[in-house]
């Protein structure tokens, strides 16, 4: 069993793509195939299945993955202890939901790339519970969540900033000119919602849809799609303020006068408490605190 085979397997488990793995590791795709085949033959089990263009871990692959990550972490730790590192290098696997990826993280990612060009950032767009599970399964080093305060014993949570929410409609919507609203005003209205795993969707159900009997729901996997549909007059959306600044400033969306102060969400950076913090990972954490954290 070779270190490079384990690195290839762990990268492939993250990208779920032979071609992307080959590009990241500077191999040709056939080399990725040969390394995985050799690893499977040595272990005597099939680690993954290729379903069309998709790569899916088998049960054996999922069970083996944490051990592969631990071996690679131990190797990286041994290297950092036994040698004086010059320029930082290596890979940091990042996970975040769509909102933070699009509206919160870009300045950090650019800053880090400019200062640490030899560190490869591998990004995994995830949502909801997948983000925390990716840390527990060793699929990500650091994840960013927009959620209520995370208090998991196995995960370290670093507060970055509080986030406000707005309920928005198009300027032509019947409710756009109202100075105050009551629950009955939402009856029969269409609500454009994020996917069910989204952390703040449940708040909309509990505080508005359930009480107002507003059952007209349209579900989207993209915040940008929701905004475009709201601007087209298809309904009402409740979204983080960071995703709405441009449209509110340009008058393309109108914020409704509805009290959302009960929504207490913040951007947080998480990593597993038992994970060894490599120099590259430590540098990324420090950069995130400097660029994103508010007091």
């Amino acid at each position: 069993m070779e270190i490079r085979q384990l690195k290839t397997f762990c990268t492939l488990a993250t990208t779920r793509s032979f071609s992307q793995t080959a590009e990241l590791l500077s191999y040709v795709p056939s080399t990725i195939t040969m390394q995985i085949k050799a690893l499977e033959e040595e272990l005597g089990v099939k680690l993954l299945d290729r379903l069309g263009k998709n790569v899916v871990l088998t049960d054996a692959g999922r069970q083996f993955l944490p051990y592969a990550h631990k071996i690679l972490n131990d190797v990286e730790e041994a290297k950092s202890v036994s040698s004086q590192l010059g320029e930082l290098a290596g890979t940091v696997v990042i996970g975040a939901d769509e909102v933070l990826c699009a509206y919160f993280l870009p300045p950090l990612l650019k800053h880090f790339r400019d200062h640490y060009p030899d560190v490869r950032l591998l990004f995994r767009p995830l949502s909801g519970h997948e983000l925390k599970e990716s840390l527990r399964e060793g699929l990500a080093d650091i994840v960013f969540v927009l959620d209520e305060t995370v208090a998991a014993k196995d995960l370290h949570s670093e507060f970055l900033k509080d986030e406000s929410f707005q309920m928005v409609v198009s300027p032509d919507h019947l409710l756009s000119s109202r100075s105050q609203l009551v629950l009955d005003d939402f009856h029969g209205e269409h609500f454009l919602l994020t996917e069910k795993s989204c952390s703040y969707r449940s708040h909309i159900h509990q505080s508005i849809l359930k009480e107002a009997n507003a059952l007209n729901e349209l579900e989207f996997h993209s915040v940008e799609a929701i905004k475009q549909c709201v601007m087209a007059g298809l309904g009402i959306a409740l979204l983080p303020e960071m995703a709405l600044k441009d449209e509110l400033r340009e008058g393309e969306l109108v914020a409704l006068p509805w009290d959302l102060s009960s929504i207490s969400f913040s951007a947080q950076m998480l990593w597993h408490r038992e994970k060894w913090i490599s120099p590259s990972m430590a540098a990324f954490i420090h950069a995130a605190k400097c660029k994103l954290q508010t007091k």
Side-chain angles (χ1 to χ4, degrees), residues 160-229:
L160 297 174
K161 72 179 292 286
D162 288 318
E163 179 61 16
S164 300
F165 283 70
Q166 296 278 6
M167 186 181 293
V168 293
V169 295
S170 71
D172 299 327
H173 194 280
L174 290 175
L175 299 180
S176 64
S177 61
R178 299 284 293 274
S179 59
Q180 59 182 7
L181 295 170
V182 295
L183 275 174
D184 286 344
D185 293 323
F186 297 123
H187 181 70
E189 292 289 343
H190 286 82
F191 277 80
L192 282 57
L193 304 176
T194 50
E195 55 190 336
K196 289 183 174 63
S197 60
C198 177
S199 57
Y200 48 84
R201 173 171 169 164
S202 60
H203 179 89
I204 305 174
H205 272 277
Q206 292 299 320
S207 63
I208 300 171
L209 299 184
K210 184 177 179 181
E211 296 186 33
N213 295 317
L215 302 179
N216 300 317
E217 304 173 19
L218 298 174
E219 182 175 313
F220 296 81
H221 294 290
S222 165
V223 170
E224 282 300 315
I226 291 176
K227 290 197 296 183
Q228 291 298 321
C229 289

